[in-house]
Amino acid sequence: MRKIVILLLGWVLCVNSQALAQQQQQGESHAELMGKLLDAQTGKPVEYASVAVLNASDSTLITGMLSKGNGDFSFRPIKPGSYILKIYFIGYETFFKAVTVKTTADVGNIRLKTTSRNLKGVEVVGEKPAFTMAIDKRVFNVDKNLSSVGGTATDVLRQVPSVNVDIDGNVSVRNGSPTIFIDGRPSTLTLDQIPADAIANIEVVTNPSAKYDAEGMSGILNIVLKKNRRAGINGLITAGYSTTNSNNAGVDFNIRQDKINFFINYNRRDRKSPMKQHMFRQNFDAADTTFLDQYQDGDFGRLFQSGRIGFDWFIDNRNTITLSQGIVGGDFNNLNKQTTYDLDAHQTRLRYGIGRNDSKNNFRNYTTQVGYKRTFAKEGMELTGDFTYNRSTGKNDNDYSLQYYDMQGQPSNSPNQPELRYGKGNNTTTYYTGQIDFVNPLTEKSKLEAGLRTNVRTFNSLLNTLGKDFNTGQFEYDSALSNNYNYSEQINAAYVSYTGGFGNFGFQTGLRAEQSYYSGEMKNVKDANYKIDYPIGLFPSVFITQKFKGDHELQLNYSRRIQRPWFRDLLPNIQYNANSANRGNPALKPEFTNSFELSYLKDFDKKHNVLVSVYYRNTNNAITNFYVDTTLNLDGQERKVVLNYPINADQRNSLGAELTVRNQITKGWDITTNLNASQTKISAQNLSNQGFVWFGKINSNTKLPWALTLQVTGEYESRQINPQGEEAPEYQVDLAMKKDFLKKKNFSVSLGVTDIFNTDRDLSWTTTTFSSSERYRKRVSRELRVNLSWRFGKMDTKLFKKKGKGDGEGGDNMGGDGF
């Protein structure tokens, strides 16, 4: 670890020294040009206006910047000489001023005149679209998504084009597993632990370049959290309730004054999500055929709170430091009543069992982030560095019982013995991430990028399970269902990429190198440990882009990807549930994918966008679930179960096409349609299965009279292919409506119905050597939600300063400005 830190510090010092040397070469002395921009009518500061310094002799551009929140601008260092100051901003007349700089030149307050005098009473509103597309990335604006208001990140991702989420919250893109980041960095948080109201947007990168992590078979999903940087005081308060007795509330507060931007937010959510499960299994035996019919009726509770506090320190025009601290805590409880029937070959019930399968989980998560950004006089040149520390702790209790009875209701202990056990455990996860990125534009169309990154994760899990021995009446330690497991991993990476081109042709080549170390130990089992050191792996990427006249372009790209096992996939402890069980696999290896993609993007008058992609993925050592019939020794008794665990398949190939179309039908009606189809084949342990699968999603947003907004979303997923079976098709439709109130439209009421037709469920079929089973799960998905939100704000850049007289600025009392 020490070597990594020294390497990162050395990189920072090297880049900074090179940058300072370039600046010293650009100017022999440290002269400065400064000033302030004000509105000529109101006297208010004008922020984010373009300020350019031109050469007085030939009007060529020397440098430029945007004015700060208080209207200030400054250029330092700058060579002494004669310049022309050009200031441009939409809604104002372009301003020119000749300036001579010797040591320090202060041009004072520049009052900009508006371009029109007849705009009074006209409200100009600019809004982000719900979904934007580029040739290499798609961005989903969560603020425009009404269906997920009051939900979690899982609800948000269900609405994102190209993304599919199953009933358990497992996410896939193009039928493959993506890597999920939060603000561009790994996290121990699950999707259900992130409130939807804290998310700004979702970025979908289907075939990332070498700059991004090589992790993720089907690309990267980046969840960008909200962080307000508007000047003055701004905030958002939300509250909601649903028909499942779920409720949510939150507040987002921001203060920005001069060089400091302070932000804080808090969200609370109490979600009820009952679930019904049914499994029907046929057991093939040499002597006889029997059946098992099992039902579970459960109450799933999700209570969590999350908070985030931090600040941005704008040291000067070149340097910014950001510090934030996040805290998330909650209780996730699954309380299940189970009933099991044993049937003979004629499916006649012989006996039944009744019991419980309950688990209670309490967790805390702490995330600390420190970021630094430095820009240089050279346009586009920047250095960024950040460090993230993530720590998660958890406690879990589980209770399991099952007592069999004959069909007359009398206790029956043959052939099924009663089961009664309980377990108590705790776990701790720590995650460190450090990264440095440097961008250096070489020419107008070329640039060089490079960076270093390291991830270190440790996981400790302790679970003690005690089962009752009905012969002695004592509870005894059950080693098969207990664990004392330690796991650690470290991934080091470095990348370099070059972007160039000429005319309308562009290209980017990159190479990423990653080295990883894994180790795990099951302390309660003798010699149950492993240590894996993967050598440096190379992950190249190539992007070729050709732009054509008429706003359309074509891109061909290739990248090599890796999907490492999730640490819970490596956890060898067994989870048992009435003749079914699952566990991890410490011998699991990473899978490697070669990904090819050809994309075409066409824009029609900025109102219609079409993105067509054809892709091919070849995956070796593909990670997939595998089912096997086995016998477990539990509570001193042998029990036949179907055991589910992940394995490395031989190969998975997928050839597919994706179509995304965004249409602005009218000024207030926007529709985004996404279709994905592929031919998939997967082979594992002499088993092979293949088939055609497809996925579709549509999102319609309509502005109606009376400040109403209507959103309708729908999705359909065809059957899915597994090595030993398949999953049934599924679909759902959501509807939501929002109305804005008050003069500034800053108070909103939204009403949404998820899964209107109550069709969302999970149905699958699996066949092994000795059994054939059908599994059905249905979670309460049809839900009516009501949410209220109030936005408040005061765009006052002198909010904390006393009013001065005769300072020539005026207009300090700026009034409210709801946003």
Side-chain angles (χ1 to χ4, degrees), residues 35-38 43-48 65-73 109 231-232 256-259 317 796-798 801 809 814:
K36 187 181 187 72
L37 305 182
L38 301 175
K44 298 179 182 179
V46 178
E47 60 177 334
Y48 308 128
M65 65 170 293
L66 299 178
S67 60
K68 295 190 292 185
N70 60 357
D72 287 349
F73 66 87
N109 296 330
R256 178 171 178 176
Q257 173 66 23
D258 293 332
K259 293 185 176 183
N317 293 338
D796 189 346
T797 58
K798 295 295 182 182
K801 294 183 179 181
E809 295 183 13
M814 308 175 87

Side-chain angles (χ1 to χ4, degrees), residues 7 77 142 286-287 310 370 449 458 674 724 747:
L7 185 61
V142 178
V370 180
E449 298 178 81
T458 61
N674 175 254
Q724 296 166 282
F747 179 75

Side-chain angles (χ1 to χ4, degrees), residues 624-627 682 687-691 719-728 763-768 772-773:
T624 186
N625 287 327
F626 192 77
Y627 295 84
I682 183 168
L687 297 173
S688 180
N689 199 1
Q690 63 180 336
R719 64 168 186 151
Q720 298 298 302
I721 302 300
N722 298 314
Q724 296 166 282
E726 63 182 53
E727 299 176 18
L763 177 61
S764 62
W765 297 271
T766 303
T767 301
T768 67
S772 176
S773 61

Side-chain angles (χ1 to χ4, degrees), residues 221-239:
L221 290 179
N222 185 30
I223 299 175
V224 181
L225 300 180
K226 291 179 179 177
K227 186 170 67 172
N228 189 3
R229 287 184 172 179
R230 291 173 64 93
I233 292 181
N234 302 281
L236 171 67
I237 297 175
T238 60

Side-chain angles (χ1 to χ4, degrees), residues 67 133 185 265 269 328 335 389 474 531 568 584 646 795:
S67 60
M133 293 185 292
R185 300 294 177 261
N265 59 61
R269 178 160 180 79
V328 180
L335 309 177
Y389 169 72
Q474 301 296 318
K531 185 176 182 181
R568 292 194 181 276
M795 291 289 290

Side-chain angles (χ1 to χ4, degrees), residues 709-759:
T709 303
L710 174 66
Q711 182 182 78
V712 180
T713 60
E715 64 174 296
Y716 178 87
E717 182 182 9
S718 71
R719 64 168 186 151
Q720 298 298 302
I721 302 300
N722 298 314
Q724 296 166 282
E726 63 182 53
E727 299 176 18
E730 56 186 76
Y731 68 94
Q732 75 174 65
V733 178
D734 300 334
L735 175 69
M737 181 173 289
K738 183 182 77 169
K739 179 172 175 57
D740 298 325
F741 295 89
L742 303 183
K743 183 178 179 181
K744 297 179 180 179
K745 310 298 183 186
N746 57 339
F747 179 75
S748 302
V749 177
S750 63
L751 183 69
V753 182
T754 59
D755 195 14
I756 297 175
F757 303 108
N758 201 28
T759 53

